[in-house]
């Protein structure tokens, strides 16, 4: 859910609004992106068969659902993707060859749109389609337990970087053990090529839960990972949690990790306390912009969105903390060099 309350600064004039759905529930967790024809793609989940705006049957309990709309909001087509269990899309992008890439999670066995056997309880899942949403290939990645994809970005070489939470130990597609022995979640990141073939994977975390929520590629080909951590210094996390009673009261710090193009850690930063994960975007000057829902400025109290600019070494350039109570979930770079 995304919402924001603020005093009026600009006058925005609504051009149109539409709703898309069925008689049951649809959620657009995958968000919305623009397409080369000035239209939009919307992605998320559905629990409905054919009715309302949905033209294809439900494959299982919950399926991923994609809609294409025109620049004026008119629905042009929709596609259902799923197996016999539950599937979701939480991220998507345009591909270099004019198609689309969708990413989420699955707990289904082979059947429907699922072409690979389960690795564990839940696996990462990516689907490549043409510009009309026709499936071209499907891939799944996972370890022995739960692997929940939260973010995906197209990379400079036409491949994709996948990230999320994992409590799986080594096995399946996962080459490194969980730092807590499978009791808590770590960041799990994997790089695949343009055909969905895995190139490498890396695990980052401590002895408690660590939740990855945002990823961005930097100009040198490396990546910035951001999210939250309840871990104290342990595993391959070298930073102490601000709150010494972190496990008892459930508080979490923001945790940002910089890796190179092969997934090797370069540095990590704790940017203050946050209850929710963050988002990150490349700033164009070797740095990046991070946003969190923070319980305060570093070591302080509060409960507001926090926007942070850091350079390529993770050093702070500037911060801005909203005075309004709000929940920001993503950030975009605008054509004039600003951020939305």
């Amino acid at each position: 859910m995304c919402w924001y309350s603020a005093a009026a600064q600009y006058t925005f004039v609504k051009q149109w609004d539409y709703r898309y759905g069925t008689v049951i529930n649809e959620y657009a967790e995958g968000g919305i992106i623009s397409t080369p024809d000035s239209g939009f793609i919307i992605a998320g989940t559905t629990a409905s068969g054919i009715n309302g705006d949905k033209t294809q049957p439900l494959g299982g309990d919950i399926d991923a659902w994609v809609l294409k709309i025109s620049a004026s909001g008119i629905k042009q087509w929709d596609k259902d993707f799923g197996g016999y269990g539950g599937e979701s899309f939480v991220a998507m992008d345009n591909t270099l060859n004019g198609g689309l890439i969708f990413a989420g999670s699955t707990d289904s066995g082979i059947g429907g749109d699922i072409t690979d056997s389960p690795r564990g309880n839940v696996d990462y899942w990516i689907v490549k389609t043409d510009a009309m949403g026709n499936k071209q290939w499907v891939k799944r990645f996972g370890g022995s337990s739960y692997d929940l994809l939260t973010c995906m970005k197209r990379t400079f070489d036409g491949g994709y970087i996948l990230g999320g939470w994992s409590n799986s130990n080594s096995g399946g597609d996962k080459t490194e053990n969980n730092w807590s022995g499978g009791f808590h979640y770590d960041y799990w990141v994997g790089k695949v090529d343009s055909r969905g073939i895995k190139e490498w994977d890396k695990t980052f975390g401590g002895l408690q839960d660590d939740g990855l929520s945002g990823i961005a590629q930097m100009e040198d080909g490396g990546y910035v990972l951001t999210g939250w951590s309840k871990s104290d210094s342990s595993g391959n996390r070298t930073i102490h949690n601000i709150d010494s009673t972190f496990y008892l009261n459930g508080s979490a710090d923001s945790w940002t990790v910089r890796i190179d193009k092969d997934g090797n850690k370069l540095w990590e930063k704790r940017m203050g306390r946050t209850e929710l994960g963050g988002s990150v975007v490349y700033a164009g000057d070797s740095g990046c912009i991070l946003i969190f829902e923070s319980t305060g400025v570093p070591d302080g109290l509060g409960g507001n969105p926090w926007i942070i600019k850091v350079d390529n070494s993770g050093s702070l350039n500037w911060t801005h903390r909203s005075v309004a109570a709000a929940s920001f979930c993503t950030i975009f770079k605008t054509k004039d060099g600003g951020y939305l």
Side-chain angles (χ1 to χ4, degrees):
M1 179 179 69
C2 305
W3 59 272
Y4 177 51
S5 301
Q9 299 179 26
Y10 303 99
T11 301
F12 295 100
V13 179
K14 187 178 76 174
Q15 296 180 324
W16 51 260
D17 73 278
Y18 288 97
R19 65 189 300 162
Y20 312 95
T22 68
V23 295
I24 308 183
N25 293 327
E26 282 74 42
Y27 301 97
E29 300 104 324
I32 184 168
I33 59 171
S34 59
T35 53
D37 63 357
S38 299
F40 303 94
I41 297 286
I42 306 169
T45 58
T46 180
S48 177
I50 298 172
N51 65 73
D53 296 303
K54 193 164 185 288
T55 64
Q56 295 183 319
L58 188 71
D61 300 324
I62 298 174
D63 285 352
W65 191 38
V66 176
L67 297 94
K68 170 67 167 65
I69 62 175
S70 69
S72 56
I74 305 302
K75 196 193 91 169
Q76 296 175 310
W77 51 259
D78 71 285
K79 300 285 185 180
D80 179 286
F81 299 95
Y84 303 132
E87 281 71 45
S88 66
F89 286 153
V90 298
M92 59 179 164
D93 209 338
N94 295 288
T95 64
L96 293 180
N97 66 358
L100 298 160
I101 188 79
F102 301 95
S105 301
T106 178
D107 65 5
S108 294
I110 295 176
D113 296 304
I114 309 298
T115 58
D116 294 326
S117 298
R119 275 55 164 171
N121 299 94
V122 180
D123 296 326
Y124 289 8
W125 188 50
I126 56 175
V127 179
K128 170 70 171 63
T129 74
D130 63 17
M132 298 299 295
N134 299 306
K135 185 177 64 178
Q136 296 179 320
W137 51 256
V138 179
K139 300 287 183 180
R140 75 188 297 163
F141 304 95
S144 58
S145 190
Y146 289 88
D147 306 292
L148 308 173
L149 187 142
T150 59
C151 49
M152 179 272 299
K153 292 290 175 66
R154 189 184 73 212
T155 54
F156 299 152
D157 62 1
Y160 309 97
I161 186 80
L162 314 174
W165 307 4
S166 173
N167 67 353
S168 294
N169 283 311
S170 176
D173 302 294
K174 196 165 187 290
T175 62
E176 298 176 325
N177 282 328
N178 178 272
W179 284 104
S180 67
F183 293 101
H184 297 280
Y185 288 102
D186 293 331
Y187 288 12
W188 187 40
V189 181
K191 170 67 170 62
V192 302
D193 65 18
S194 61
R195 301 164 297 166
I197 307 301
K198 196 190 85 168
E199 297 177 329
W200 53 259
D201 72 285
K202 297 288 183 177
T203 298
F204 302 97
L207 295 182
Q208 300 298 331
D209 285 323
D210 308 292
L212 176 63
S213 58
I215 192 165
Q217 188 169 28
M218 307 299 283
E219 65 180 2
D220 64 358
Y223 306 91
V224 171
L225 320 175
T226 193
W228 53 266
S229 175
K230 293 184 179 181
S231 296
D232 210 347
S233 177
S234 56
N236 59 1
R237 174 176 156 91
T238 63
I239 300 174
H240 288 291
N241 189 285
I242 289 177
D243 195 331
S244 61
T245 60
F246 60 98
Y247 182 65
L248 296 177
N249 65 21
S251 66
D253 291 343
S254 65
W255 190 35
T256 299
V257 180
R258 178 73 156 88
I259 60 177
D260 66 19
K261 64 181 179 60
D262 299 313
N264 302 301
K265 188 172 76 170
L266 301 177
W267 52 258
E268 59 182 307
K269 298 288 183 178
R270 183 191 65 203
M271 302 291 181
R273 189 175 303 148
T274 178
E275 298 299 335
L276 295 178
S279 184
V280 59
V281 65
Y282 175 55
D285 60 355
S286 299
C288 61
I289 301 287
L290 304 158
I291 61 169
F292 304 99
E293 182 176 345
S294 176
T295 59
V297 294
D299 304 310
L301 301 173
N304 308 94
W306 193 25
I307 305 171
I308 304 167
K309 170 69 166 60
V310 299
D311 63 20
N312 194 41
S313 65
S315 298
L316 183 68
N317 289 151
W318 53 259
T319 70
H320 177 74
R321 182 168 170 265
S322 172
V323 297
S327 178
F328 286 169
C329 63
T330 192
I331 186 168
F332 301 95
K333 188 171 179 62
T334 57
K335 291 182 179 178
D336 64 358
Y339 303 92
L340 181 64

